[in-house]
Amino acid sequence: MALLRLFWVQLTSMRTALLLLLTLALVAIPGSLLPQRPIAPIRVSDWKAANPAVADLYEAIGLFDVYGSPWFAAVYLLLTVSLIGCIVPRIQVYAKALRQPPPRTPKRLDRLPASVAGATALSADEALTAAEGVLRAKRFRVRREGDSVAAERGHLREFGNLLFHLSFALMLLGVAWNTLWSYKGEVIVVEGQAFSNNLTQYDDFSAGSQFKPANLQPFTIWVDTFTAKFETGEVQRGAARVFEADVRVAHGDGAPEEARIEVNHPLVVDGTQVHLIGHGYAPVVTVTDPEGNVAFSGPVVFLPQDGNFTSLGVIKAPDARPNYLGFEGFFLPTAVVDQQGPHSVFPDALAPELFVNVWTGAPREETGRPESVYSLTKDGLEQMTTDDGKVVTFRIAPGQAIDLPDGSSLSFDDWRRWTKLQVSSEPGLWLVIGAVGLAVAGMMLSMYVRPRRLWLRIVDTPDGPRVEAGGLDRAESSTGLADDVAELAASAGVEDAARTQEVGP
Amino acid sequence: MIEAYSSLPMVASAVIYLLAMMAHAAEWAAARRPVEVPERVLVGSGGSEPAASEPEAEHRVTLFGRIGVALTVVGALAHVVGVVLRGVAADRLPWGNMYEFVTSSLAFAVVFYLVLVWRRGWTWLGLPVTLLLSVGQGLAVTVFYVAIAPLVPALHSVWFIIHIVAAAISAAAFNVGAIAAILYLIRERAERKGTVRGYLARLPKAAALDDFSFRVHRFAFPLWTFVILAGAIWADYAWGRFWGWDPKETWSLVTWVVYAAYLHARVTAGWKGVRAAWLAVLGVVTFWFNFVGVNLLTVGLHSYAGI
Ligand code: HEM
């Protein structure tokens, strides 16, 4: 009765697990078909603008952040509970089974899926000892009792199964740990500039709830040169070929060491990873105001807008007097002007040019409010015009300068590359990887180890001792049972053991 | 130059597989014929003995079967030469884009199939396998084809080799496993209804097909788990995160979960057999969707995307 109950409980929980697994597969799908806010916030807004009819509904049920939504969490939490609820009792059962000797020899060995019987020339004791020896050599657990030997092997199968399921739970634990303690930040660094691992330096930063700023490892990276090469052949023209950053790194207050960061070869500094995840151009410009003072000088990061690095950016000279000066425009690494207007036709800087227009207005008061460096707030500014009322726009190449109608000037001195570095720490990663590795090992054991039970009995007959041997497999897809039984019988002195019968499929 | 030498055998293999498939189709058709003579005795016999009543028809069946296998061997030679030359021409392992992945993976599949034919005489796999090969190679050389080019930097990694070679092998295994599952479903239905005849009579018994399907999946599933693990490690090197719910990653997980469900179904009362086999079919569908659908329909980081 108790056995039946156990069987029933297991049956139902397996079924639950199965349904939960299928549900998990199902609920993961929408997130791969709809844009997701944590990954692509801009595409989410675009999508919502394009599909206003369903946007609010989708938003309400969390379809733009599927993997962070409560119902997704509900499914995997249920799965975890089911997994643990199923695994704990099985561990107890397994521990008990390990301590138990192989099951007693059944009465009728000839009813087993494979069996053999025959006369033996050996004495009962010799036959049993010989059979025991053979079984032990094959790494069976053996129990000798009276006139029979019982043997069993394949406990590793259940071990593997438990290991697999435990590792799965361990992996979930690793993921949770990682989510709570990890951090990831992005920062754009222009060639020749440096970055210190400090919250204030990041352009973008996200971290788990247990992260503390003190967890940031103190280091500084100088990006000396960034090299980018692109396909110039016919096929895949313009595709990326080489990205490398030659840097110097200083740990804490230590002396800088040289290093190189490549795609696929992040720099690891004190357990923190630094990846190259993007790049672009920064024209180096000098703005001189009508009074002849340098109002701004240096590289300005422009953000790429397409695969050929047509890049958008603004140059601000808030210190220009008598009026504020702002420039808005494009940097084109390989500039072409055609019906589409100015754009770039190749990602490398083969013919760089700057296309700008100029905004000017009364000097601004310091508000203290941070302002994006990538866009120009145009309140109180107007576009600069020439004396005859035309809007001032111009294109210049490196080395050129342009004098503006109000007496100021912009000189395009040079260009540099910038690279976007991603700094991340994933403290739980090793646990996740290790757990999945263990899971694979457990899975292999549970699927390839074949549990088998063999028995041999000596029966006294008037014609002398007679051997009966039989075997049972507890896994599908097993082969060689009949051979094992025949071999066992032969070891006990049965000569014509080939007449083994194997019943069933 | 070598590129042309690589495309030529590849195209040839697609054509030869198509011919092989036609030969196997003729084999099936020939095996059907005896049944048109109403022969009650045969119905429900369920054995794998073909109808011995018509030796001539039987001869035709064998002949077409042999032609099919012979053509497949020739096709496979051309195919493997094509894959190897592609690698030589590109001066790297030939699985850097969809075209290369499909052709490499199908090469694993055809080799696996031919080993089964050679070692076990399993020619009954001929029709579905050549169907898969001719559709797959046909699509590869027409729709997916791209000229050789070096890899983008994100693919420069040993994990690229490990991850993709494992993916190609498990793809081959999942496809063969699904074929076995489909044949199982067909044969099982016929056995239940007592209508095992014609070609179906040449298939192994349903239980044996189910067992074979399981063995193939048992090999493929741990490998697929490893593919995802290797992919995650590689993603961590390339992008600084091991899991980001990229569509490709999500669908790999969906595929994995479906196959995990398949393995569970096999030990669950009420799910073993037919329903489990349907899960194996669902698994291969999600696999293909991950491969074709995700590349073409969604935007992700995988630079495979796009043909
Ligand atoms: C994400 C979750 C899970 C995965 C990926 C998974 C995977 C697997 C796999 C691959 C097997 C096959 C092993 C074999 O053939 O022996 C298996 C077996 C099994 N699983 Fe799970 N499992 C999961 C969750 C669960 C849960 C939640 C339960 C419990 C309710 C469960 C109970 C079992 C049982 C009882 C077996 C035994 C099969 C046997 O002894 O042959 N699994 N699981």
Side-chain angles (χ1 to χ4, degrees), chain A residues 89-103:
Chain A
R90 280 182 67 136
I91 292 178
Q92 291 166 349
V93 171
Y94 178 70
K96 216 181 269 171
L98 269 189
R99 276 180 271 121
Q100 243 143 39

Side-chain angles (χ1 to χ4, degrees), chain A residues 11 14-15 17-22 24-26 28-29 31-33 36 39 43 67 72 157 164-165 168 175 178 184 231 235-236 239-243 262-266 273 275-277 422 424 426 428-429 432-434 436-437 439-440 443-444 447-448 450 476-479 505, chain B residues 97 147-157 207 210-211 214-215 217-223 225-226 229 233-247 250-251 253-254 256-258 260-272 279 282 289 294 298-299:
Chain A
L11 202 77
M14 258 305 263
R15 211 170 267 181
L18 186 59
L19 290 176
L20 285 172
L21 280 171
L22 288 173
L24 182 69
L26 203 67
I29 292 175
S32 73
L33 303 177
Q36 298 292 295
I39 303 165
R43 284 192 20 240
Y67 310 110
F72 189 75
R157 180 191 185 85
F164 169 80
H165 288 85
F168 195 82
V175 169
N178 206 51
K184 182 157 89 178
E231 179 66 50
V235 176
Q236 290 189 0
R241 289 294 172 247
V242 173
F243 295 135
E262 291 171 68
V263 179
N264 272 318
H265 298 281
Q273 296 195 84
H275 283 82
L276 292 185
I277 58 165
Q422 174 183 288
S424 59
E426 298 172 311
L429 185 57
V432 175
I433 291 176
V436 177
V440 172
M443 193 187 302
M444 306 280 271
M447 290 196 291
Y448 284 95
R450 302 170 311 180
E476 296 170 80
S477 278
S478 292
T479 50
Chain B
N97 51 48
I148 287 175
L151 299 175
V152 298
L155 296 182
H156 285 292
S157 167
D210 188 39
D211 191 59
F214 171 63
R215 281 166 186 258
H217 285 109
R218 168 174 83 169
F219 164 75
F221 185 71
L223 193 61
T225 313
F226 174 76
L229 177 65
I233 295 175
W234 176 22
D236 196 59
Y237 277 113
W239 303 315
R241 94 281 182 293
F242 62 95
W243 194 267
W245 297 106
D246 178 74
T250 305
W251 277 91
L253 185 70
V254 169
W256 187 85
V257 168
V258 171
Y262 163 79
L263 291 175
H264 278 91
R266 283 191 52 91
V267 290
T268 307
W271 279 79
K272 9 169 113 83
L279 283 177
L282 182 65
F289 183 80
V294 169
T298 68
V299 187

Side-chain angles (χ1 to χ4, degrees), chain A residues 229-246:
Chain A
K229 293 203 179 106
F230 302 90
E231 179 66 50
T232 50
E234 281 300 304
V235 176
Q236 290 189 0
R237 191 175 164 75
R241 289 294 172 247
V242 173
F243 295 135
E244 290 167 356
D246 288 303

Side-chain angles (χ1 to χ4, degrees), chain A residues 176-439:
Chain A
W177 175 12
N178 206 51
T179 312
L180 291 176
W181 271 275
S182 65
Y183 72 82
K184 182 157 89 178
E186 289 173 2
V187 57
I188 286 180
V189 187
V190 179
E191 284 175 301
Q193 296 184 345
F195 157 76
S196 293
N197 193 17
N198 184 312
L199 273 188
T200 57
Q201 296 237 337
Y202 285 105
D203 300 329
D204 194 14
F205 189 84
S206 60
S209 59
Q210 298 303 309
F211 167 82
K212 311 256 171 345
N215 298 5
L216 291 175
Q217 297 285 350
F219 60 82
T220 304
I221 296 178
W222 289 264
V223 176
D224 292 332
T225 41
F226 180 83
T227 313
K229 293 203 179 106
F230 302 90
E231 179 66 50
T232 50
E234 281 300 304
V235 176
Q236 290 189 0
R237 191 175 164 75
R241 289 294 172 247
V242 173
F243 295 135
E244 290 167 356
D246 288 303
V247 301
R248 279 168 299 139
V249 201
H251 305 247
D253 301 327
E257 299 161 21
E258 300 206 337
R260 169 175 285 183
I261 316 178
E262 291 171 68
V263 179
N264 272 318
H265 298 281
L267 179 69
V268 181
V269 193
D270 306 328
T272 304
Q273 296 195 84
V274 183
H275 283 82
L276 292 185
I277 58 165
H279 68 105
Y281 292 94
V284 182
V285 295
T286 304
V287 179
T288 314
D289 68 17
E291 297 171 1
N293 300 321
V294 171
F296 175 85
S297 178
V300 183
V301 170
F302 276 47
L303 298 180
Q305 308 292 309
D306 62 24
N308 285 325
F309 286 78
T310 298
S311 304
L312 188 62
V314 299
I315 302 161
K316 297 181 189 182
D319 299 336
R321 292 295 177 275
N323 283 324
Y324 178 101
L325 280 174
F327 303 83
E328 188 181 52
F330 288 101
F331 173 88
L332 309 178
T334 301
V336 160
V337 181
D338 57 18
Q339 302 95 307
Q340 298 171 33
H343 62 112
S344 172
V345 292
F346 194 75
D348 209 351
L350 302 180
E353 281 188 63
L354 202 51
F355 286 68
V356 252
N357 50 43
V358 192
W359 296 75
T360 181
R364 290 184 167 172
E365 289 181 25
E366 279 295 330
T367 57
R369 210 173 328 124
E371 197 185 288
S372 166
V373 295
Y374 304 114
S375 64
L376 192 61
T377 316
K378 290 176 183 149
D379 307 338
L381 300 183
E382 52 187 48
Q383 264 190 303
M384 191 181 281
T385 51
T386 55
D387 293 342
D388 48 8
K390 277 210 202 112
V391 170
V392 175
T393 67
F394 54 91
R395 61 192 276 196
I396 48 176
Q400 297 177 340
I402 187 121
D403 292 323
L404 299 170
D406 71 343
S408 54
S409 73
L410 175 81
S411 91
F412 180 11
D413 306 324
D414 197 1
W415 57 270
R416 299 207 193 128
R417 294 185 199 274
W418 55 257
T419 175
K420 189 188 255 183
L421 298 180
Q422 174 183 288
V423 180
S424 59
S425 164
E426 298 172 311
L429 185 57
W430 63 270
L431 184 59
V432 175
I433 291 176
V436 177
L438 280 180

Side-chain angles (χ1 to χ4, degrees), chain B residues 72-139:
Chain B
T72 311
V73 171
V74 177
L77 282 176
H79 186 164
V80 170
V81 168
V83 169
V84 170
L85 285 183
R86 176 84 182 186
V88 172
D91 196 19
R92 60 178 166 74
L93 288 163
W95 37 75
N97 51 48
M98 240 166 122
Y99 167 74
E100 293 172 357
F101 183 84
V102 174
T103 51
S104 298
S105 180
L106 288 175
F108 284 114
V110 73
V111 169
F112 180 35
Y113 159 70
L114 288 175
V115 167
L116 288 174
V117 169
W118 174 44
R119 300 299 292 264
R120 306 204 183 169
W122 283 5
T123 48
W124 48 269
L125 277 170
L127 183 64
V129 167
T130 48
L131 176 68
L132 172 74
L133 289 171
S134 43
V135 171
Q137 283 291 85
L139 279 178

Side-chain angles (χ1 to χ4, degrees), chain B residues 12-100:
Chain B
S13 73
V15 175
I16 299 170
Y17 287 147
L18 193 66
L19 294 175
M21 185 188 79
M22 279 150 62
H24 283 298
E27 177 193 7
W28 284 50
R32 274 184 78 90
R33 206 147 300 153
V35 184
E36 281 163 14
V37 188
E39 217 173 331
R40 290 258 157 237
V41 207
L42 243 161
V43 174
S45 69
S48 42
E49 304 312 304
S53 54
E54 286 194 34
E56 198 186 319
E58 180 54 28
H59 175 71
R60 264 210 312 278
V61 172
T62 327
L63 183 68
F64 283 131
R66 289 221 178 112
I67 294 177
V69 173
L71 283 171
T72 311
V73 171
V74 177
L77 282 176
H79 186 164
V80 170
V81 168
V83 169
V84 170
L85 285 183
R86 176 84 182 186
V88 172
D91 196 19
R92 60 178 166 74
L93 288 163
W95 37 75
N97 51 48
M98 240 166 122
Y99 167 74
E100 293 172 357

